[in-house]
Amino acid sequence: MAAAASRTKATRLLSLIQSGASSCPCHSHAHSHGPTAGAFSSLLKYGRNYASAKETTDYAFEMAASNIRFGPGVTSEIGMDLNNIQAKKVAVYTDSTIAKLHPLKAVIQSLDKHNVNYVVYDTCRVEPTDGSFKAAIDFARKHNPDAYVAVGGGSVIDTTKAASLYSAHPEADFLDFVNAPIGKGLPIRKKLNPLIAVPTTAGTGSETTGTAIFDYEPLKTKTGIAHRALKPLLGIVDPLNTRSMPSQVHASSGLDVLCHALESYTALPYNERSPRPRDPIERPAYQGSNPISDVWSLHALKMVVEYLPRAVKDPEDHEAQSQMLLAATFAGIGFGNAGVHLCHGLSYPISGLNKSYKHPGYNVEHAIVPHGVSVALTAPSVFRFTSAACPDRHIDAAAAFGADPSNIKESMAGEVLAEKLTRFLEDLGVPNGLSALGYDSSYIPALVEGTLPQHRVTKLAPTREPAREQLASIFEKSMTNY
């Protein structure tokens, strides 16, 4: 009897472990809709799909992410971190708004307490340009720091990455490291000085990635620099640092997380990306969807669906704000290795061609379409377009929004996801399509021209790189969403 009772307890324990595994992003198969046995079968099938590669395509993927430290008040440790790496002179980068708020004050207080020698650059531009990058680079070259701290949103963190990169390469032309075809896209072969990123928005995930995005004003479009060498040494993810965000900034930065998660999860698989690199240093940071990124991206998507509406509607909902900060980091790990595709590729000319629209909630003097808004406005049309290439992925994404996957035919996957996205955007008060920013059909040729150079991301669409007429159709269908 004792042995039988023991077996019964063991059986119950195993059942409990198996039933709980599906809720854990690190120990479950994210693509399964069925029970544990189905999940295991799906995992095996999924692994086989990823395992084969043609000789002309890649056969491997790499995972790179910054060290992450999360916790309320953890910014107070940064002075000790800089002493621990024996920094002699630190350049602190921020913007003019954050310079007056708690996040920078907390950083400076820690640096002073631990006798860290530092200089402050507080004029980073929100939505940076090649010109603002160059001004930040000049500051770094003048002061010659041996460590960097970025306190701000993605704009500040990306600016600091550029300052670190070019100060280590005084002989480089600005376009040497900028993504092809706008720049030369040269690999970074020097080790850069350490960078500690302190994000103040729950959006870009830049604290985890080797990417720096900016507006290239001569072409009126966005581009960037992407290499693993750019990723910060440490991301200090402190929920107290996002409490000063206005509601509209919560919304727009959260939309960036949304699209990071959706695009990386539906990206071209890494072993279908070409060309195969001749040298590992040539393997791009954005490699295509892969089994590890998938886990982070899909879980981040579920977190955005649950917590972003709460964070936007209630400025005192600190749990939602904290969870969105984690979601941004999770998505950063996912897309930082898998990449993004069409929403981001199309967003760059949407921002770059804007001359008059100024989004509410942003205390800046220039016209601005926040990055998260520019990526989200085309999302419903994008995922209608891409669904035929991987309907199962689009069904998974629709399920994250509450759709019943068992009732979605593959032929309807894109439509169901697009409808869920549209209602989500409408409920958040997002502008109703490109027309709300002042665009109409006459701008479509220029928008298409601004998208075509974005090969780094558009070629990761699961449909492969779209033709001009397909891009034009997506823009046309994105003029109004609801």
Side-chain angles (χ1 to χ4, degrees):
M1 292 293 291
S6 179
R7 285 195 298 272
T8 300
K9 288 181 179 179
T11 301
R12 287 175 180 171
L13 179 60
L14 285 170
S15 297
L16 179 62
I17 292 171
Q18 290 174 339
S19 64
S22 63
S23 64
C24 174
C26 296
H27 297 91
S28 65
H29 175 51
H31 304 85
S32 172
H33 306 304
T36 303
F40 186 66
S41 172
S42 181
L43 177 61
L44 291 177
K45 178 181 177 183
Y46 193 53
R48 286 197 298 271
N49 285 344
Y50 268 131
S52 60
K54 299 176 182 177
E55 289 187 5
T56 57
T57 61
D58 210 339
Y59 65 98
F61 67 93
E62 299 181 26
M63 291 301 296
S66 306
N67 297 308
I68 296 297
R69 185 181 301 147
F70 177 88
V74 75
T75 307
S76 65
E77 298 182 357
I78 194 169
M80 291 181 280
D81 290 315
L82 291 161
N83 283 337
N84 289 340
I85 62 174
Q86 300 180 339
K88 303 302 181 188
K89 188 175 186 180
V90 178
V92 180
Y93 281 73
T94 191
D95 63 47
S96 59
T97 298
I98 297 298
K100 303 167 188 161
L101 299 175
H102 163 79
L104 184 69
K105 292 176 183 177
V107 167
I108 297 302
Q109 183 177 27
S110 182
L111 300 190
D112 287 339
K113 179 180 179 180
H114 297 283
N115 300 312
V116 176
N117 180 30
Y118 64 89
V119 291
V120 177
Y121 182 85
D122 61 3
T123 53
C124 292
R125 178 184 166 102
V126 178
E127 302 296 339
T129 65
D130 54 311
S132 71
F133 267 19
K134 290 173 184 176
I137 293 164
D138 289 343
F139 181 86
R141 287 175 172 169
K142 174 183 176 182
H143 290 279
N144 195 30
D146 61 355
Y148 294 83
V149 171
V151 188
S155 295
V156 171
I157 299 173
D158 289 1
T159 298
T160 313
K161 291 174 183 176
S164 173
L165 171 63
Y166 286 95
S167 65
H169 296 83
E171 76 291 346
D173 180 78
F174 181 73
L175 290 178
D176 281 353
F177 300 108
V178 173
N179 298 325
I182 292 172
K184 295 179 182 178
L186 297 180
I188 301 169
R189 297 183 181 273
K190 286 185 182 179
K191 185 176 181 180
L192 305 183
N193 285 327
L195 163 61
I196 298 178
V198 185
T200 61
T201 62
T204 67
S206 187
E207 69 276 6
T208 71
T209 74
T211 303
I213 302 298
F214 64 96
D215 282 309
Y216 187 57
E217 293 184 305
L219 295 181
K220 297 182 174 59
T221 191
K222 265 184 162 59
T223 184
I225 306 164
H227 195 276
R228 293 174 189 85
L230 285 178
K231 66 183 177 62
L233 171 69
L234 172 66
I236 292 182
V237 183
D238 184 343
L240 300 184
N241 289 335
T242 64
R243 292 189 181 175
S244 57
M245 271 201 298
S247 176
Q248 286 288 347
V249 181
H250 270 298
S252 58
S253 59
L255 293 173
D256 198 19
V257 185
L258 174 74
C259 290
H260 285 160
L262 280 168
E263 291 172 72
S264 57
Y265 187 68
T266 56
L268 185 77
Y270 75 92
N271 62 349
E272 294 181 22
R273 191 200 74 253
S274 61
R276 178 180 293 188
R278 297 167 296 176
D279 184 319
I281 200 171
E282 296 176 357
R283 181 168 284 117
Y286 286 4
Q287 303 163 90
S289 61
N290 60 78
I292 299 178
S293 287
D294 290 344
V295 174
W296 294 97
S297 298
L298 190 58
H299 191 64
L301 174 60
K302 293 174 181 177
M303 293 175 74
V304 172
V305 172
E306 180 174 359
Y307 292 108
L308 181 56
R310 285 174 49 182
V312 171
K313 291 173 184 176
D314 182 1
E316 298 303 315
D317 191 338
H318 296 153
E319 180 194 15
Q321 293 173 15
S322 178
Q323 290 299 310
M324 279 304 302
L325 192 57
L326 272 179
T329 300
F330 289 0
I333 297 170
F335 92 86
N337 293 282
V340 289
H341 56 82
L342 293 184
C343 295
H344 273 74
L346 275 63
S347 79
Y348 297 152
I350 292 171
S351 296
L353 291 171
N354 174 50
K355 297 302 178 188
S356 58
Y357 179 81
K358 186 175 178 181
H359 197 69
Y362 282 77
N363 184 25
V364 294
E365 296 180 358
H366 54 276
I368 183 171
V369 180
H371 177 60
V373 172
S374 67
V375 295
L377 293 185
T378 61
S381 295
V382 162
F383 291 107
R384 285 189 182 97
F385 173 73
T386 58
S387 64
C390 51
D392 57 330
R393 295 284 173 123
H394 291 67
I395 291 172
D396 285 345
F401 283 93
D404 181 353
S406 65
N407 290 332
I408 305 175
K409 295 180 180 179
E410 288 194 349
S411 61
M412 292 299 295
E415 191 58 45
V416 173
L417 176 56
E419 180 61 25
K420 289 289 185 181
L421 273 168
T422 299
R423 298 284 75 80
F424 190 76
L425 298 178
E426 184 177 17
D427 289 346
L428 288 173
V430 176
N432 185 13
L434 300 180
S435 62
L437 310 183
Y439 290 109
D440 58 32
S441 296
S442 68
Y443 285 89
I444 289 177
L447 291 167
V448 170
E449 287 299 321
T451 303
L452 291 173
Q454 311 300 334
H455 298 173
R456 182 179 65 97
V457 292
T458 56
K459 69 182 181 182
L460 287 176
T463 54
R464 310 295 174 128
E465 196 165 2
R468 284 174 179 270
E469 59 271 18
Q470 292 170 317
L471 294 172
S473 176
I474 294 171
F475 280 122
E476 183 67 55
K477 292 173 181 176
S478 301
M479 287 295 165
T480 56
N481 285 326
Y482 46 83

